[in-house]
Amino acid sequence: MLLTVHEETSDKVHWEKIAISDPPFRIGEEDGPNVQELKKRVEEYKPTWRDRFFNRVEARKRQMLVHIDQAVREDEKIYENWKENKEIAQKVLANDLQSWRKVIDDAKPFEDIEEMGSRVRYQFDQPRRIIAQLDINNREVVPTKVLTLTKTGKLSEKNMAKGRYLQLYHDYVCSCTLRVAREFFSLLPVQEVVVNVYDESPVEEQYGCILSVMFPREKMDMLDFTNIDCSDTIEQFEHNMKFLKTKGFKLVEEKQG
């Protein structure tokens, strides 16, 4: 799970299509989908012989139409949602940064990362560009113990080799970094995302930037993110990173635009 954080991301929002989309129906001129469906059921209603015998066919139809008001309200919600989404799309495409922030706040794309102890902050640096800061905060999210079963079926626990732990942590950091960038590209019409990752460096023994990557949309759109090596993928982008296999991350400077 720690090595595939980057694979689960929000569905891409096609703001251009939403901004020019037609209404789901002409309100005030035609019935909405829920009303249409209800009327269709009434028209296609096939009375039983009992209904015909007891002369209650019309009563059955009136009973079905009792729900017409509810269907109207549901159709009004559909129309209002379309109207609201179209207005938001137009503002997003016009680089209205308040709308950009609302999209991220509503989507909450980093909840699972933050549940593991990390924190994502961001700012709009210039039109169509975002600078994000990922604070890892929780080195213990990567296990330090290895659990195995002995030949007799007993559970054995031992410390993970330092080199293996550092490599797992390295891949986890890179996976989270890719995830942050992917979320912004999925939810907003940004062209570039810079992600600066902060954690305590075991080499310098102080808190600071351990990875800084500049992600252009063109290159990100070309990648298939399933079954990739995250650290190798980071290497394909402009980045600052110093990772020692026996010691871990060293502090680096943030990428400048």
Side-chain angles (χ1 to χ4, degrees):
M1 182 190 70
L2 295 176
L3 304 184
T4 57
V5 175
H6 61 283
E7 290 186 12
E8 295 185 20
T9 186
S10 303
D11 293 334
K12 186 175 181 180
V13 182
H14 299 279
W15 294 111
E16 293 84 359
K17 291 183 179 179
I18 298 173
I20 62 172
S21 63
D22 294 324
F25 60 95
R26 295 187 298 276
I27 195 165
E29 299 180 29
E30 62 178 341
D31 293 329
N34 288 289
V35 172
Q36 289 180 25
E37 178 62 26
L38 182 59
K39 288 183 176 180
K40 182 181 178 183
R41 290 207 308 269
V42 172
E43 290 173 4
E44 295 177 349
Y45 168 66
K46 295 180 180 179
T48 65
W49 69 268
R50 287 187 177 85
D51 290 337
R52 290 194 297 270
F53 183 80
F54 291 105
N55 196 28
R56 57 190 184 193
V57 173
E58 292 304 316
R60 291 290 191 197
K61 289 184 178 181
R62 286 195 298 274
Q63 188 178 28
M64 295 171 68
L65 287 172
V66 165
H67 302 289
I68 194 75
D69 289 341
Q70 181 181 346
V72 169
R73 288 194 296 271
E74 290 173 353
D75 286 337
E76 288 174 347
K77 286 181 183 178
I78 291 174
Y79 190 89
E80 288 303 315
N81 285 339
W82 164 81
K83 185 178 178 182
E84 181 181 352
N85 288 336
K86 183 164 184 170
E87 290 174 355
I88 291 174
Q90 291 170 342
K91 289 180 180 179
V92 165
L93 293 173
N95 294 339
D96 181 273
L97 300 186
Q98 187 174 351
S99 297
W100 281 28
R101 190 170 294 279
K102 184 179 186 306
V103 169
I104 299 299
D105 290 345
D106 290 347
K108 296 179 173 58
F110 309 115
E111 272 189 331
D112 54 344
I113 293 179
E114 292 173 344
E115 283 175 0
M116 291 188 284
S118 297
R119 180 186 179 191
V120 179
R121 292 175 285 177
Y122 62 93
Q123 63 184 35
F124 306 120
D125 181 50
Q126 53 184 269
R128 305 294 172 108
R129 185 173 189 256
I130 287 177
I131 295 180
Q133 180 170 320
L134 168 62
D135 293 280
I136 296 295
N137 290 338
N138 185 12
R139 296 181 61 85
E140 295 177 0
V141 70
V142 177
T144 58
K145 303 287 185 180
V146 178
L147 300 177
T148 57
L149 284 176
T150 64
K151 291 181 180 180
T152 58
K154 292 183 179 180
L155 190 64
S156 172
E157 179 183 279
K158 61 180 181 180
N159 291 330
M160 183 182 293
K162 184 179 180 181
R164 184 182 177 191
Y165 168 81
L166 290 173
Q167 187 57 54
L168 282 173
Y169 187 72
H170 180 219
D171 290 338
Y172 168 67
V173 168
C174 291
S175 181
C176 288
T177 303
L178 289 167
R179 168 66 178 278
V180 171
R182 291 191 72 195
E183 290 290 359
F184 284 119
F185 284 127
S186 293
L187 296 171
L188 294 173
V190 295
Q191 296 304 313
E192 187 175 82
V193 176
V194 177
V195 182
N196 298 312
V197 185
Y198 273 68
D199 194 10
E200 184 174 343
S201 167
V203 181
E204 286 93 344
E205 295 185 348
Q206 62 181 8
Y207 195 81
C209 183
I210 59 170
L211 172 62
S212 183
V213 195
M214 191 179 298
F215 296 101
R217 176 181 285 276
E218 284 182 1
K219 200 164 184 178
M220 287 287 281
D221 287 346
M222 293 170 60
L223 295 178
D224 179 1
F225 287 93
T226 54
N227 300 317
I228 63 169
D229 184 294
C230 294
S231 53
D232 287 347
T233 302
I234 291 292
E235 296 280 348
Q236 300 178 34
F237 295 90
E238 242 185 274
H239 70 286
N240 289 335
M241 177 172 61
K242 295 178 183 178
F243 178 77
L244 306 177
K245 291 183 179 180
T246 58
K247 294 184 178 180
F249 286 101
K250 295 185 68 175
L251 298 185
V252 296
E253 291 185 359
E254 295 183 357
K255 293 294 295 182
Q256 302 300 318

